[in-house]
Amino acid sequence: MLKLCSCNVTDQVQASVQCRFPGSPGPFAFRRRAPVSVSFSPTSRLGLTPVQAVVSTQKTEVAKVVKSGSGSLADRLRLGSLAEDGLSYKEKYIVRCYEVGINKTATIETLANLLQEVGSNHAQSVGFSTDGFATTPTMRKLHLIWVTARMHIEIYKYPAWSDVVEIETWCQSEGRIGTRRDWILKDAATGELIGRATGKWVMMNHDTRRLQKVSDEVREELLVHFPQEPRLAFPEKDNRSLKKILKLEDPAEYSRLALTPRRADLDMNHHVNYVTYIGWVLESMPQEIIDSHELASITLDYRRECLQNDVVDSLTSTEPTDGAETVSELNGTNGSAVARQDDADCPMFLHLLRVSCDGQEINRGRTEWRKKPAR
């Protein structure tokens, strides 16, 4: 991993924290941006290290903006840009100390938030709305919003504090009422694949809270930014992202009851942000698994909105193994870096989030775990 020494990045951290544009809850959050091009070559004529090159470039960009009085300072400081064909977006992120958990690596919530952030920045870069609700002009006119329907994340190697992660993302159609976003996560220093993710968003009427089909007008606004041919982060047949999540039946083996949303958990559409559900799911995991294993993959199906006044129960049970589907061997450049071992080393669990008072399903989940690596 590319490491950042704290003595060299004070200005960079301050600028990034002060200027980062808030993320969007959906797959789009559009504003046109000027891409930043940064060289990480250690053989620069000035003899700069990769970290010094980042800091030097950012200071130069700040000076240009101040001098010209035009453009967005946040846009200039982001280490991201569209691909040449305009159909995908890449951005580099530094793992901050407050984003690291008990394993001394970035938490799954941190990585999920980065996925949300890079998706939002991608959407801004193609020039749609600036209101943060990820909507096209037609969607705003009709009071339509995007809501998360499903997320699947696989992490093969967790980055540590000061590591630099490069994330690539792109969007495409997914059925008649939704869109799909995919992500590839790499070590920015080595190019090593460290994770993949995919998610589905569906269209909802903000006023009626009912799902709505993607109209031809909205589809035309989006298609220009979609690949002409399907491009999947998980191209393998029968991959984990496609696996159906069985309903967890009572009584659950483990539970954490009466969880309540904080104000900070609400997104710009006034419902609980999808990353919060990940934390709630993990709250009911048995402690012995948390102590000895790390999360390898998580899949969440979002079945209803969770609002600020809801009280939530988190339930977890071991996934039944009888008749379980097998995952085919993963090949190709996007292939998993983790081979399946025996069930003792890679336990799997089913999860359910429900409303405490009436038992309504909020979310179904499935997780796979692996033994923690020696550090």
Side-chain angles (χ1 to χ4, degrees):
M1 288 284 184
L2 175 61
K3 293 283 186 177
L4 296 184
C5 174
S6 59
C7 64
N8 290 333
V9 296
T10 301
D11 293 340
Q12 180 190 9
V13 172
Q14 291 175 345
S16 297
V17 171
Q18 293 168 2
C19 300
R20 175 158 293 188
F21 190 91
S24 161
F28 299 96
F30 305 97
R31 181 192 293 174
R32 187 165 297 282
R33 56 196 278 117
V36 178
S37 177
V38 178
S39 172
F40 283 83
S41 172
T43 59
S44 167
R45 290 182 302 167
L46 299 178
L48 298 180
T49 67
V51 175
Q52 291 169 335
V54 172
V55 176
S56 175
T57 301
Q58 288 192 336
K59 288 182 176 180
T60 301
E61 293 295 341
V62 172
K64 287 180 180 178
V65 173
V66 172
K67 183 177 181 179
S68 66
S70 62
S72 166
L73 182 60
D75 287 346
R76 300 294 186 92
L77 289 175
R78 289 194 187 104
L79 301 179
S81 64
L82 286 168
E84 290 186 6
D85 61 9
L87 300 180
S88 70
Y89 177 87
K90 288 184 180 181
E91 188 165 354
K92 295 180 175 69
Y93 294 93
I94 306 165
V95 178
R96 316 293 182 179
C97 65
Y98 53 82
E99 297 172 325
V100 172
I102 59 175
N103 294 334
K104 300 181 181 180
T105 57
T107 64
I108 188 63
E109 291 96 332
T110 290
L111 297 177
N113 276 318
L114 290 182
L115 299 180
Q116 187 170 230
E117 175 73 6
V118 73
S120 300
N121 292 345
H122 173 210
Q124 292 178 50
S125 70
V126 299
F128 280 94
S129 69
T130 59
D131 61 6
F133 284 88
T135 53
T136 70
T138 300
M139 290 178 66
R140 294 197 302 277
K141 180 180 178 181
L142 300 177
H143 298 178
L144 302 174
I145 60 174
W146 296 109
V147 293
T148 310
R150 184 177 176 94
M151 280 293 298
H152 176 79
I153 305 172
E154 294 185 8
I155 303 299
Y156 313 129
K157 180 180 179 182
Y158 282 87
W161 176 23
S162 295
D163 286 346
V164 180
V165 179
E166 180 182 76
I167 304 176
E168 180 183 11
T169 187
W170 62 94
C171 261
Q172 54 206 320
S173 295
E174 178 79 4
R176 301 174 67 183
I177 64 172
T179 61
R180 170 191 178 121
R181 179 174 287 280
D182 290 76
W183 295 265
I184 298 292
L185 297 84
K186 293 184 178 181
D187 180 334
T190 66
E192 176 188 2
L193 177 74
I194 62 172
R196 296 183 291 173
T198 186
K200 179 180 180 179
W201 281 259
V202 294
M203 188 174 291
M204 174 186 284
N205 186 291
H206 185 272
D207 301 327
T208 66
R209 316 309 285 182
R210 293 181 179 274
L211 298 183
Q212 188 160 328
K213 295 179 182 178
V214 179
S215 67
D216 292 339
E217 292 82 0
V218 172
R219 194 176 301 277
E220 289 178 2
E221 292 172 323
L222 299 175
L223 281 178
V224 66
H225 305 292
F226 292 171
Q228 294 184 356
E229 298 294 330
R231 181 189 175 196
L232 307 178
F234 298 92
E236 308 86 14
K237 183 180 179 181
D238 299 328
N239 65 79
R240 294 179 182 89
S241 73
L242 302 175
K243 183 162 181 153
K244 181 179 179 181
I245 303 176
L246 302 176
K247 183 178 180 180
L248 186 153
E249 300 294 343
D250 278 336
E253 295 177 56
Y254 313 96
S255 64
R256 180 72 181 271
L257 307 180
L259 300 169
T260 56
R262 304 171 304 160
R263 293 189 181 98
D265 294 326
L266 303 182
D267 61 23
M268 291 179 282
N269 288 322
H270 299 283
H271 54 226
V272 173
N273 186 280
Y274 79 83
V275 178
T276 300
Y277 294 95
I278 297 176
W280 285 348
V281 162
L282 299 183
E283 280 297 306
S284 58
M285 279 295 300
Q287 188 61 45
E288 59 268 23
I289 297 296
I290 298 296
D291 291 340
S292 59
H293 290 68
E294 64 181 12
L295 184 65
S297 72
I298 182 168
T299 310
L300 297 176
D301 281 340
Y302 298 85
R303 308 183 76 84
R304 75 178 292 274
E305 289 184 284
C306 182
L307 304 177
Q308 184 174 2
N309 294 327
D310 287 334
V311 179
V312 178
D313 293 339
S314 174
L315 308 177
T316 293
S317 289
T318 305
E319 183 179 43
T321 56
D322 291 342
E325 299 174 14
T326 59
V327 179
S328 60
E329 183 179 357
L330 303 181
N331 299 305
T333 57
N334 287 341
S336 168
V338 179
R340 287 297 306 275
Q341 301 174 28
D342 57 70
D343 291 339
D345 287 340
C346 297
M348 296 170 285
F349 294 87
L350 296 177
H351 307 274
L352 176 66
L353 298 179
R354 68 184 184 189
V355 180
S356 294
C357 62
D358 58 16
Q360 287 190 69
E361 281 189 82
I362 298 174
N363 184 292
R364 289 187 190 184
R366 181 179 183 274
T367 57
E368 296 189 22
W369 300 75
R370 60 174 174 260
K371 286 285 189 179
K372 289 182 181 180
R375 301 191 186 280

